[in-house]
Amino acid sequence: MGKHPRIGLLLGAAACLLAVLFDWIIVELKGNPAKEQSVPIPLPAAEPATAAPYTA
């Protein structure tokens, strides 16, 4: 691969990474409405332990 295509690919990859980074920063600064509206999943109640404790 020549020098110019390699530089072009590196610049394109860097531009994509920067675009994703800026998008992530904007979402974090504005607050993610999907995250705020999510309902927590209730966990089942814990069952009591039935095994004898280790006494050795």
Side-chain angles (χ1 to χ4, degrees):
M1 179 183 296
K3 185 177 181 179
H4 292 292
R6 187 178 304 145
I7 292 172
L9 287 173
L10 286 173
L11 287 174
C16 288
L17 287 174
L18 282 174
V20 169
L21 179 67
F22 288 144
D23 182 53
W24 175 67
I25 289 172
I26 289 171
V27 167
E28 287 296 318
L29 288 177
K30 284 185 176 181
N32 191 350
K35 184 193 295 184
E36 293 171 2
Q37 293 176 357
S38 65
V39 177
I41 299 172
L43 298 176
E47 296 179 9
T50 57
Y54 182 72
T55 58

